[in-house]
Amino acid sequence: MNKSLLFTLTGGVLLFVWQFMSFAALNLHGNAQTYTPKDREILQFLEGMELEEGMYALGAPSPEVRSDPAKQEVYAQKMEGRPWAMLNYQKVWSGDMTMELVRGFVMNLLMAWLLFWVLCGLKEASLLRCVLVAVAIGWVGFLYFPYSNFIWFRNPDIWAHMLDATAPFAVLGWLGHRWSN
């Protein structure tokens, strides 16, 4: 029990610190959050449109078009080669990240605990096996969400997500090997 708790706390902190380094200190994901000098103009325009908060696929067909295969074909031909965008519109900016940080840390603790549980269940828990299993789990998460999103939406920070799924999980695999035996 003590090893599990120690790994959970250490692993949760390691993941939390890694995410801070990746998204803030080292800014590995910066190319997915680039600045445009037209940002005030765009935001004022969007605010004037009175959109509801949410994600919008700009350039996507309307529900009416999507329900008719013939209209979908005409729409697809019309859109070929034209611009499109994903818009995540939020009405209010808040610098208070307290709850986001708390939820993120709790999620990191849960991931570390689940990983340790898996590593402790390995019949042959060699160092290489523990590291590979941990990285494989990181990659399952990476392939399921960031990479499948990249296939469709070309997120520019895909390589940073891949590093996020590899480096801290390799370290956790090494720690798991040491503490699960």
Side-chain angles (χ1 to χ4, degrees), residues 35-53:
Y35 171 78
T36 174
K38 297 181 184 213
D39 101 339
R40 292 283 66 177
E41 186 179 332
I42 293 168
L43 287 171
Q44 284 176 341
F45 178 78
L46 290 172
E47 188 175 21
M49 297 201 60
E50 298 181 8
L51 286 173
E52 292 297 318
E53 285 189 345

Side-chain angles (χ1 to χ4, degrees), residues 3 7-9 16 53 66 76 81 91 97 106 108-109 111-112 129 137-138 147 159 161 166 171:
K3 285 183 179 181
F7 185 87
T8 298
L9 290 172
F16 191 79
E53 285 189 345
R66 282 195 300 259
K91 289 184 178 185
M97 298 186 298
V106 169
N108 289 323
L109 291 170
M111 279 194 299
R129 188 177 193 87
I137 289 171
Y147 188 73
W159 299 110
H161 281 292
T166 306
V171 173

Side-chain angles (χ1 to χ4, degrees), residues 25-159:
L26 300 174
N27 198 23
L28 300 177
H29 296 268
N31 60 353
Q33 304 170 47
T34 55
Y35 171 78
T36 174
K38 297 181 184 213
D39 101 339
R40 292 283 66 177
E41 186 179 332
I42 293 168
L43 287 171
Q44 284 176 341
F45 178 78
L46 290 172
E47 188 175 21
M49 297 201 60
E50 298 181 8
L51 286 173
E52 292 297 318
E53 285 189 345
M55 297 237 4
Y56 296 91
L58 305 179
S62 68
E64 175 190 301
V65 171
R66 282 195 300 259
S67 66
D68 183 339
K71 288 181 182 178
Q72 275 185 353
E73 183 63 33
V74 169
Y75 189 83
Q77 289 173 359
K78 180 179 116 183
M79 284 302 295
E80 189 65 37
R82 297 188 71 195
W84 64 277
M86 292 298 294
L87 172 65
N88 184 348
Y89 181 69
Q90 305 298 317
K91 289 184 178 185
V92 178
W93 171 280
S94 173
D96 181 9
M97 298 186 298
T98 305
M99 285 313 298
E100 287 81 358
L101 291 170
V102 169
R103 286 195 312 261
F105 186 61
V106 169
M107 178 218 34
N108 289 323
L109 291 170
L110 180 59
M111 279 194 299
W113 179 81
L114 289 169
L115 178 60
F116 192 69
W117 177 69
V118 168
L119 295 176
C120 286
L122 294 177
K123 288 183 182 177
E124 297 175 34
S126 69
L127 174 60
L128 180 62
R129 188 177 193 87
C130 286
V131 169
L132 289 177
V133 166
V135 170
I137 289 171
W139 271 63
V140 166
F142 164 72
L143 293 171
Y144 186 72
F145 189 73
Y147 188 73
S148 61
N149 247 5
F150 173 76
I151 290 169
W152 298 102
F153 305 117
R154 304 289 186 257
N155 307 30
D157 60 342
I158 192 64
W159 299 110

